[in-house]
């Protein structure tokens, strides 16, 4: 029964494999899998196959919906066929709803320009704006906000991890290439801007730039190119002042390049963790995991309640962007947990997942809300739901 959850052909971690075959953990793991599968089925009630994203949430949130589906599909064979259909369809049609396509031209600096590739899985084009058979046109996925671009790059990397489809990896590389156009800012001549109009230097775009580069370093042929970018970004980011005296990360920099003191959002404490874990895999350095651990521990002190459940300061009235944040933290905390295990991380992941299921679920629809401690409150949508689902997926592995 347990072996049906995983497939031997997939890059399931040794940790997960050992957990799945440990008797003590098995009942809990099966319960976590069952909750995540329920959440997946509910998430798909929002999926719009005409436009490839999820009704009730926006463009960049769609990338995060796809990522959590991929993260579950790596672990759970029973959802994989549906997940693969979603990737295939979204790849073809979602560019049609990009709010601002092609803002950053992909120049081909990394060898991934607007080029035609032979596709393993030819796609059916709907209009000229959609993906053409056998082509990878990363410009279609760029919208002028480098963080949005990066979410899609990570989503296609996650889809690549499930499928091995090289088109997805090339698309992720092409999107990264577009992001390099945001480098450097006018703060210490490094980092990327948040946006192509250069209005703001912030944490999320820079953490994502590091994370995408580090993920690609472990997957793409040109590994050293991506390692160099990830290291350059980390050197700049660590010295940028965005990591404050408490080891939490504020939102961004002022126009004179000082920490702007803006909100310590959960996702800004999260993306950097996965980025450093991936960078440490690609190019080990004894400082990376301790740096990540320091940030994770500080974030947990700052953002969890006395029951170890994660919160963002905006709850329960978060903007539609912020409803996505906590799941992103969880997804990345789980990556750190695999690389640098800690009972505290397991406790936060399990407590959050259990509370989501017991206290933050609409019992009639199984839709999950924004306040993980509960009670369930409207509005609950594909963003609140997919974010909470990230915690349910992390709970499968964090034991
Ligand atoms: C899909 O989204 C479009 C907007 O892009 C909307 O008009 C349409 O009704 C949605 N379809 C479904 C089945 O929800
Ligand atoms: C890629 O998409 C952009 C729109 O963002 C378009 O201008 C360009 O012609 C496309 N390139 C190819 C090779 O289809
Ligand atoms: C992807 O979608 C296309 C168009 O619907 C289809 O022809 C192809 O078989 C699909 N590939 C896979 C692997 O599902
Ligand atoms: C650090 O934490 C202390 C105590 O909670 C707080 O007063 C201070 O404002 C924090 N500093 C920053 C930069 O957030
Ligand atoms: C950086 O550029 C922005 C305009 O894009 C400007 O407002 C700001 O003062 C500049 N900061 C520095 C430190 O040069």
């Amino acid at each position: 029964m347990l072996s049906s959850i995983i497939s031997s052909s997939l890059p399931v971690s040794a940790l997960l494999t050992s957990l799945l075959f440990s008797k003590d953990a098995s009942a809990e793991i099966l319960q976590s899998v069952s909750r995540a599968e329920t959440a997946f089925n509910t998430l798909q009630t929002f999926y719009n196959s005409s436009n490839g994203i999820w009704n009730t949430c926006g463009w960049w949130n769609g990338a995060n919906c796809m990522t959590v589906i991929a993260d579950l599909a790596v672990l759970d064979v029973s959802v994989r066929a549906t997940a693969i259909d979603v990737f295939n369809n979204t790849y073809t049609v979602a560019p049609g709803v990009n709010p601002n396509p092609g803002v950053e031209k992909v120049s081909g600096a990394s060898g991934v320009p607007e080029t035609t590739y032979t596709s393993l899985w030819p796609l059916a084009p709907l209009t000229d704006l959609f993906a053409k058979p056998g082509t990878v046109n990363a410009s279609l996925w760029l919208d002028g906000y480098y963080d949005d671009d990066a979410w899609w790059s990570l989503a296609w990397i996650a889809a690549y991890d499930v499928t091995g489809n090289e088109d997805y990896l090339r698309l992720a590389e092409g999107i990264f290439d577009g992001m390099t156009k945001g480098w450097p800012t006018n703060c210490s001549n490094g980092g990327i801007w948040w946006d192509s109009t250069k209005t703001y230097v912030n944490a999320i775009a820079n953490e994502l730039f590091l994370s995408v580069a580090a993920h690609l370093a472990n997957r793409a042929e040109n590994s050293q190119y991506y390692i160099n970018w990830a290291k350059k970004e980390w050197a700049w980011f660590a010295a940028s002042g965005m990591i404050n005296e408490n080891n939490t990360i504020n939102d961004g920099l002022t126009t004179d390049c000082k920490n702007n003191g803006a909100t310590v959002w959960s996702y800004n404490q999260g993306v950097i963790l996965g980025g450093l874990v991936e960078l440490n895999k690609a190019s080990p350095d004894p400082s990376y995991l301790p740096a990540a651990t320091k940030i994770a521990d500080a974030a947990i002190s700052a953002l969890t309640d006395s029951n170890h459940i994660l919160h963002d300061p905006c709850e329960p009235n978060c903007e539609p962007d912020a409803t996505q944040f906590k799941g992103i933290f969880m997804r990345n905390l789980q990556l750190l947990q695999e690389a640098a295990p800690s009972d505290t991380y397991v406790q936060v992941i399990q407590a959050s997942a259990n509370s989501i299921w017991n206290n933050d679920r609409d019992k009639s629809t199984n839709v999950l809300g924004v306040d993980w401690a509960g009670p369930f409150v409207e509005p609950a949508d594909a963003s609140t739901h997919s974010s909470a689902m990230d915690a349910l997926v992390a709970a499968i592995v964090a034991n």
Side-chain angles (χ1 to χ4, degrees):
M1 189 173 179
L2 283 173
S3 60
S4 73
I5 298 170
I6 55 167
S7 143
S8 54
S9 66
L10 281 149
V12 175
S13 70
L15 172 71
L16 176 62
T17 310
S18 65
L19 283 170
L20 283 169
F21 294 100
S22 122
K23 272 193 191 135
D24 291 345
S26 62
E28 270 173 39
I29 293 169
L30 287 176
Q31 182 185 61
S32 299
V33 169
S34 153
R35 289 172 175 179
E37 286 176 354
T38 301
F40 170 68
N41 290 333
T42 304
L43 180 57
Q44 285 314 92
T45 66
F46 293 101
Y47 186 62
N48 185 324
S49 50
S50 313
N51 64 23
I53 58 174
W54 284 258
N55 288 338
T56 71
C57 76
W59 172 246
W60 78 270
N61 308 82
N64 281 280
C65 293
M66 205 180 92
T67 301
V68 71
I69 288 173
D71 287 350
L72 178 60
V74 162
L75 302 173
D76 182 350
V77 283
S78 75
V79 303
R80 202 168 295 151
T82 310
I84 289 170
D85 283 347
V86 167
F87 307 150
N88 188 333
N89 184 65
T90 292
Y91 182 85
T92 310
V93 303
V97 288
N98 178 344
N100 203 8
V103 170
E104 294 302 295
K105 285 286 176 216
V106 176
S107 75
S110 68
V112 192
E114 296 171 5
T115 307
T116 300
Y117 294 97
T118 306
S119 176
L120 300 173
W121 295 356
L123 304 176
L126 294 181
T127 79
D128 283 352
L129 245 198
F130 299 157
K132 295 188 180 56
T135 68
V136 173
N137 186 349
S139 288
L140 299 172
W141 296 85
L142 309 179
D143 74 354
Y145 293 90
Y146 297 114
D147 51 349
D148 294 3
D149 300 348
W151 295 120
W152 280 110
S153 188
L154 289 174
W156 290 114
I157 290 167
Y160 170 74
D161 285 349
V162 177
T163 61
N165 184 334
E166 297 281 338
D167 283 353
Y168 298 164
L169 183 61
R170 289 193 188 102
L171 175 53
E173 290 187 83
I175 293 171
F176 179 80
D177 186 51
M179 294 177 68
T180 63
K181 307 296 173 289
W183 182 287
T185 71
N186 61 358
C187 294
S188 308
N189 198 33
I192 63 165
W193 295 90
W194 172 50
D195 54 336
S196 58
T197 47
K198 307 187 175 182
T199 62
Y200 187 28
V201 182
N202 68 0
I204 194 60
N206 282 287
E207 294 183 28
L208 283 164
F209 189 66
L210 189 163
S211 186
V212 172
H215 276 81
L216 289 173
N218 288 313
R219 291 162 179 81
E221 269 173 33
N222 197 357
S223 182
Q224 195 58 47
Y225 170 80
Y226 294 108
I227 290 171
N228 292 346
W229 269 121
K231 285 186 169 171
K232 217 158 106 169
E233 171 63 52
W234 174 237
W236 177 86
F237 185 77
S240 71
M242 284 188 267
I243 306 176
N244 65 43
E245 67 208 16
N246 298 334
N247 295 313
T248 56
I249 300 173
N250 295 96
D251 196 67
L253 300 179
T254 58
T255 50
D256 58 351
C257 305
K258 304 261 176 4
N259 183 321
N260 66 8
T263 307
V264 172
W265 293 112
S266 59
Y267 77 155
N268 276 328
Q269 326 308 307
V271 171
I272 194 69
L273 309 181
L276 288 169
V277 168
E278 287 283 321
L279 178 55
N280 192 55
K281 257 184 228 165
S283 180
D285 181 299
S287 71
Y288 295 150
L289 294 181
T293 299
K294 218 154 117 179
I295 293 166
D297 293 349
I300 287 169
S301 301
L303 300 177
T304 58
D305 65 22
S306 57
N307 296 317
H308 316 291
I309 299 162
L310 184 69
H311 292 278
D312 265 311
C314 56
E315 294 167 14
N317 299 309
C318 299
E319 298 292 321
D321 277 349
T323 52
Q324 202 72 46
F325 293 169
K326 294 193 296 297
I328 292 160
F329 179 84
M330 283 292 162
R331 186 193 302 158
N332 285 284
L333 184 66
Q334 172 51 34
L335 287 175
L336 181 59
Q337 164 62 18
E338 287 189 52
S342 150
D343 291 346
T344 306
Y345 305 160
V346 174
Q347 185 178 48
V348 168
I349 292 168
Q350 292 296 342
S352 295
N354 284 327
S355 180
I356 286 166
W357 190 259
N358 294 322
N359 309 318
D360 181 34
R361 179 169 53 104
D362 179 331
K363 304 285 193 294
S364 60
T365 60
N366 284 320
V367 174
L368 308 170
V370 69
D371 181 351
W372 291 359
F376 174 84
V377 287
E378 298 283 359
D381 54 27
S383 175
T384 64
H385 183 82
S386 60
S387 180
M389 181 176 158
D390 272 305
L392 301 184
V393 173
I396 297 172
V397 200
N399 282 279

